[in-house]
Amino acid sequence: MPTFEHTRVEPAAEEETLFSNLDIFLFSLIVGLLIYWFVFRKKKEEIPEFKKVPTTRETSFIEKMKKTGRNVVVFYGSQTGTGEEFANRLSKDAQRYGMRGMAADPEEYDMSELSRLPEIENSLSVFCMATYGEGDPTDNAQDFYDWLQEGDACLDGVKYTVFALGNKTYEHYNAMGKYVDKRLEELGAKRIFDLGMGDDDGNLEEDFISWREQFWPAVCEHFGVEATGEESSIRQYELVVHADMNMNKVYTGELARLKSFETQKPPFDAKNPFLASVTVNLKLNKGGDRHLMHLELDITGSKIRYESGDHVAVYPVNETAMVNQIGQILGVDLDTIFSLNNLDEESNKKHPFPCPTTYRTALTHYLDISNPPRTNVLYELAQYASDPKDQENMRKMASSSAEGKALYHSWVLDARRNILAILQDMPSLRPPIDHLCELMPRLQARYYSIASSSKVHANSIHICAVVVEYQTSTGRVNKGVATNWLKNKLPCDNGHKSTVPMYVRKSQFRLPFKVSTPVIMIGPGTGIAPFMGFIQERAWLKGKGKEVGETVLYYGCRHRNEDFLYQEELEEFERTGMITQLNVAFSRDQEHKVYVQHLLKKNKEHLWKLIHTESAHIYVCGDARNMARDVQNAFYEVAEEMGGMNRTQAVDYIKKLMTKGRYSQDVWS
């Protein structure tokens, strides 16, 4: 057998050779092509991911600040995007005072580095912290909160200030902001300006502006700097229009990974929602002018697990008619493919929303166009109003003057003017669509208490909601984005399954660990939602032979014959003894209005026995502004009358139940 090292082959031997030189050449060529195909070609076709973080991501915000010459860092704890928006505004403000700021998500950085902040001259840390639920931190601030609680870091020399975002109707108003403010001081940091308190029940924007107007002069005084007088609009992103873009690389509504709605991969979360099919969509009420609905979402194969009391987050889309009208008014081709690229190359946030995309997709899936815009949006857009009077009014509304605040309140907030209404009522205002897209806040997920138990419905999540629709003082009909979108999600739409992008957010609203513990549930209207899950679960446990404690429900609606939600199911649960006491307040079926708190006072002896003797757990779900407060007052009265306490003792008694986790609220305003 000849070897391949032979340089010369005899004719006789040539016939016996397995491979000729030509064969070897062709073989090598084929192998080379295959290697090229699998290695290089594959690389070329890889789909880029939005916000894909490089493996060498900088987790030290100190190093990043040094590298980019920043001396102000604004951290945000944000669940719905407002805290993040305020942080961005403050970091942009810094430029007007000869300082350089950066907004930062505490989840992305090592927060123990805070102690190193004095290494940067004239440095300042600002915290825009929202409170979620029962005084909890937002998801992205959870690790920072844990670090503050557990850590004993030395923050000597660190200068800080906090602006808190919350809602006065909630029991734990601004708890997270207050805690961060207090804890930073305990660890040695120096507060350079008072804690700001933002109340979303009043006017959060106004609270922020008033605080900010005083905050910057305090910064100037502390650091000995002066305002540069630059009040001009500073663009954060630059527009790039893609004339010839492969449609496979264009975002069509996905939140992070391109094509994530086509090829679904668990785990599913806020950035990677699951497309759940709608299997049931029913109108629950029998009459009245409202639409109360029950939806069921199929989560089969998603590996999503939930417990009774958890929340389901759904990502809605804006109404097509609104999107088209904005495009028409601004005279743009909504199908133009574009990107908004951050002018700050060091920023972790490369785009304000997934790019490249179309204006139609951005306005439909990514931007909040239905809520009244904040004052900073009006201020930045004012430059595009050709009528000087319109310009003046828009800037006035963004100022902290009493006249400006009153104008913003009446013309924007009270009239519930969204961006479309503003463009319609101000014909001289015609901003470029890319700047409008940069300024509008992100469209956020909407949270609903899950109205089912996973013990009974392992592959299904139930939602109970009221469709929001009302007429404004300008005669327009405004519609709730999510509820109207869900209302139209029929199980089968022209032969296609209707789907809803969703994920589950864990809650502290939990049934007692001991099944024998009695529960008192108060949930008028759609506040019944989590209790449907609680009752289903306790019925399932009873069916398994467990000894289930008393299950008492207080429910309220307007009329027995119109909006008694889940009437048949609840009455069946009562008939079988699963609900040991079903108390229903029909507020408008008699001359004097009767609400759940009236029924609570009526049953004070039984309630006191359950609470004081049998260690019952109390659950309240629904409206925070009136109902939750009235219910709490009713429990104070029960404790006073039945426990022989004065008001102060009664309040302390109920507050202790809250601290022990025996009085839980899942409320909204």
Side-chain angles (χ1 to χ4, degrees):
M1 176 75 65
T3 62
F4 293 126
E5 283 88 345
H6 287 175
T7 53
R8 183 172 178 275
V9 181
E10 297 296 323
E14 193 174 317
E15 288 173 8
E16 294 170 18
T17 305
L18 290 173
F19 299 101
S20 71
N21 286 342
L22 183 62
D23 289 333
I24 293 164
F25 173 77
L26 290 171
F27 179 77
S28 304
L29 188 65
I30 290 163
V31 169
L33 284 168
L34 285 169
I35 290 168
Y36 173 83
W37 180 267
F38 283 110
V39 177
F40 296 100
R41 169 85 179 192
K42 194 173 180 184
K43 267 189 185 171
K44 201 174 177 183
E45 285 199 338
E46 272 180 7
I47 291 166
E49 292 189 8
F50 172 59
K51 279 190 190 167
K52 188 168 181 182
V53 181
T55 47
T56 55
R57 180 168 63 84
E58 181 70 80
T59 59
S60 167
F61 65 89
I62 297 293
E63 294 308 319
K64 187 166 181 178
M65 287 174 77
K66 286 179 177 179
K67 187 177 160 189
T68 58
R70 316 290 167 115
N71 58 348
V72 177
V73 58
V74 191
F75 292 104
Y76 56 85
S78 185
Q79 197 70 30
T80 62
T82 310
E84 182 180 359
E85 188 189 320
F86 286 178
N88 280 320
R89 283 161 71 176
L90 288 170
S91 68
K92 276 174 83 173
D93 280 347
Q95 201 167 324
R96 293 178 182 143
Y97 301 91
M99 303 172 92
R100 289 199 71 201
M102 67 177 249
D105 183 344
E107 196 173 36
E108 293 185 357
Y109 294 101
D110 176 1
M111 293 305 288
S112 66
E113 294 252 295
L114 200 55
S115 58
R116 292 182 55 203
L117 196 60
E119 292 175 18
I120 297 166
E121 198 181 347
N122 282 355
S123 59
L124 171 66
S125 54
V126 185
F127 296 83
C128 291
M129 307 307 290
T131 299
Y132 184 83
E134 295 293 281
D136 302 319
T138 56
D139 290 349
N140 76 311
Q142 184 66 56
D143 291 345
F144 172 50
Y145 176 71
D146 293 342
W147 175 74
L148 284 175
Q149 280 196 309
E150 296 155 13
D152 53 355
C154 175
L155 300 183
D156 290 352
V158 172
K159 289 160 185 175
Y160 78 95
T161 190
V162 179
F163 183 81
L165 296 86
N167 188 310
K168 248 191 190 129
T169 57
Y170 288 71
E171 180 68 25
H172 304 278
Y173 173 53
N174 275 332
M176 184 60 183
K178 289 173 185 171
Y179 175 75
V180 170
D181 182 60
K182 174 173 148 283
R183 186 68 180 132
L184 290 173
E185 185 178 46
E186 287 171 358
L187 294 172
K190 183 184 178 185
R191 183 190 301 105
I192 71 152
F193 189 64
D194 297 339
L195 167 70
M197 298 281 271
D199 177 20
D200 203 26
D201 184 48
N203 186 339
L204 187 60
E205 174 72 11
E206 201 171 290
D207 294 336
F208 175 67
I209 288 173
S210 301
W211 177 84
R212 179 174 161 236
E213 290 278 328
Q214 297 167 58
F215 163 66
W216 283 114
V219 170
C220 290
E221 191 180 335
H222 185 88
F223 291 109
V225 294
E226 284 182 26
T228 59
E230 285 176 31
E231 288 292 317
S232 60
S233 168
I234 305 160
R235 288 291 297 260
Q236 195 179 343
Y237 299 92
E238 68 172 345
L239 170 68
V240 176
V241 175
H242 307 285
D244 188 21
M245 168 70 71
N246 181 343
M247 289 309 290
N248 283 328
K249 294 179 181 178
V250 177
Y251 283 87
T252 56
E254 309 94 322
L255 293 156
R257 181 174 59 84
L258 194 61
K259 305 293 178 194
S260 61
F261 289 160
E262 288 177 27
T263 53
Q264 295 249 279
K265 295 174 189 169
F268 296 104
D269 55 26
K271 289 178 181 173
N272 182 36
F274 176 67
L275 282 183
S277 300
V278 177
T279 53
V280 174
N281 186 343
L282 301 171
K283 183 180 180 184
L284 287 172
N285 51 317
K286 301 176 185 80
D289 53 4
R290 296 181 303 162
H291 184 105
L292 296 127
M293 59 186 171
H294 170 87
L295 274 94
E296 297 184 12
L297 306 178
D298 185 2
I299 55 168
T300 306
S302 66
K303 296 184 181 170
I304 289 173
R305 299 284 173 266
Y306 74 94
E307 289 182 62
S308 303
D310 282 342
H311 298 136
V312 57
V314 305
Y315 284 96
V317 300
N318 289 312
E319 207 178 23
T320 306
M322 274 189 81
V323 172
N324 289 340
Q325 281 175 283
I326 290 172
Q328 206 174 344
I329 286 172
L330 298 181
V332 294
D333 176 3
L334 291 175
D335 296 312
T336 301
I337 300 166
F338 76 105
S339 290
L340 285 177
N341 298 336
N342 203 323
L343 290 162
D344 175 7
E345 290 177 8
E346 296 298 327
S347 174
N348 283 5
K349 195 173 183 181
K350 301 301 177 195
H351 317 282
F353 42 78
C355 292
T357 190
T358 65
Y359 290 123
R360 186 182 306 283
T361 299
L363 292 169
T364 304
H365 293 273
Y366 299 138
L367 300 170
D368 182 352
I369 57 172
S370 62
N371 277 314
R374 297 196 187 279
T375 56
N376 67 305
V377 175
L378 300 180
Y379 181 85
E380 300 251 0
L381 291 180
Q383 61 185 302
Y384 302 114
S386 55
D387 182 339
K389 189 73 186 157
D390 286 345
Q391 258 194 45
E392 185 193 334
N393 281 334
M394 289 178 79
R395 292 213 167 101
K396 192 185 286 175
M397 284 191 273
S399 74
S400 57
S401 71
E403 190 190 351
K405 283 178 181 177
L407 183 60
Y408 176 69
H409 223 282
S410 61
W411 200 76
V412 179
L413 295 183
D414 292 347
R416 298 297 298 169
R417 274 186 175 88
N418 54 37
I419 192 64
L420 173 60
I422 287 170
L423 292 171
Q424 287 170 335
D425 294 347
M426 224 177 239
S428 94
L429 178 65
R430 292 298 177 260
I433 191 156
D434 62 290
H435 201 178
L436 185 77
C437 288
E438 175 179 325
L439 293 169
M440 297 308 292
R442 284 290 296 270
L443 182 59
Q444 300 292 332
R446 303 306 201 259
Y447 297 91
Y448 298 97
S449 302
I450 296 176
S452 53
S453 163
S454 58
K455 300 278 193 297
V456 183
H457 302 280
N459 291 315
S460 180
I461 283 178
H462 299 183
I463 294 173
C464 171
V466 58
V467 175
V468 178
E469 190 171 319
Y470 59 93
Q471 191 165 25
T472 71
S473 57
T474 65
R476 294 178 171 91
V477 174
N478 278 12
K479 295 179 178 181
V481 179
T483 53
N484 280 276
W485 174 71
L486 286 171
K487 177 188 171 185
N488 295 316
K489 286 279 176 185
L490 304 175
C492 192
D493 191 10
N494 292 330
H496 297 287
K497 281 184 180 177
S498 285
T499 57
V500 170
M502 53 71 67
Y503 71 97
V504 167
R505 188 184 196 277
K506 295 293 171 196
S507 162
Q508 302 300 316
F509 204 68
R510 288 278 180 267
L511 278 167
F513 182 71
K514 280 174 72 179
V515 186
S516 56
T517 303
V519 297
I520 301 159
M521 303 172 290
I522 302 116
T526 55
I528 187 70
F531 303 135
M532 293 307 292
F534 280 14
I535 298 161
Q536 287 171 15
E537 187 143 326
R538 280 169 81 93
W540 181 85
L541 290 162
K542 196 173 185 179
K544 295 281 179 191
K546 304 275 186 190
E547 189 190 324
V548 178
E550 276 204 58
T551 303
V552 177
L553 175 66
Y554 285 83
Y555 172 67
C557 60
R558 294 177 183 180
H559 303 281
R560 176 188 282 275
N561 298 326
E562 280 187 10
D563 52 0
F564 187 168
L565 307 184
Y566 301 110
Q567 181 178 355
E568 292 77 14
E569 292 98 314
L570 292 173
E571 288 176 348
E572 179 61 19
F573 278 129
E574 185 187 31
R575 193 188 63 75
T576 58
M578 192 49 251
I579 295 179
T580 46
Q581 203 183 88
L582 175 61
N583 307 281
V584 188
F586 302 106
S587 63
R588 301 181 189 184
D589 272 354
Q590 60 286 309
E591 197 179 332
H592 300 293
K593 288 187 178 174
V594 177
Y595 297 114
V596 283
Q597 62 267 25
H598 300 134
L599 301 188
L600 289 169
K601 290 182 218 172
K602 194 175 160 187
N603 297 335
K604 58 191 175 192
E605 291 89 355
H606 180 235
L607 281 173
W608 185 247
K609 176 176 164 284
L610 288 176
I611 297 163
H612 196 65
T613 312
E614 298 180 29
S615 302
H617 281 225
I618 301 164
Y619 300 91
V620 183
C621 182
D623 163 54
R625 188 176 282 111
N626 300 308
M627 183 277 296
R629 195 177 288 162
D630 292 341
V631 163
Q632 207 164 308
N633 285 327
F635 277 113
Y636 294 157
E637 287 180 36
V638 170
E640 281 179 282
E641 291 178 39
M642 302 308 301
M645 304 177 188
N646 62 34
R647 188 64 166 194
T648 308
Q649 291 168 325
V651 169
D652 285 347
Y653 183 89
I654 298 301
K655 299 272 181 180
K656 269 185 189 138
L657 293 183
M658 291 177 172
T659 309
K660 290 175 184 171
R662 280 183 51 204
Y663 189 123
S664 304
Q665 298 186 93
D666 180 1
V667 292
W668 54 84
S669 64

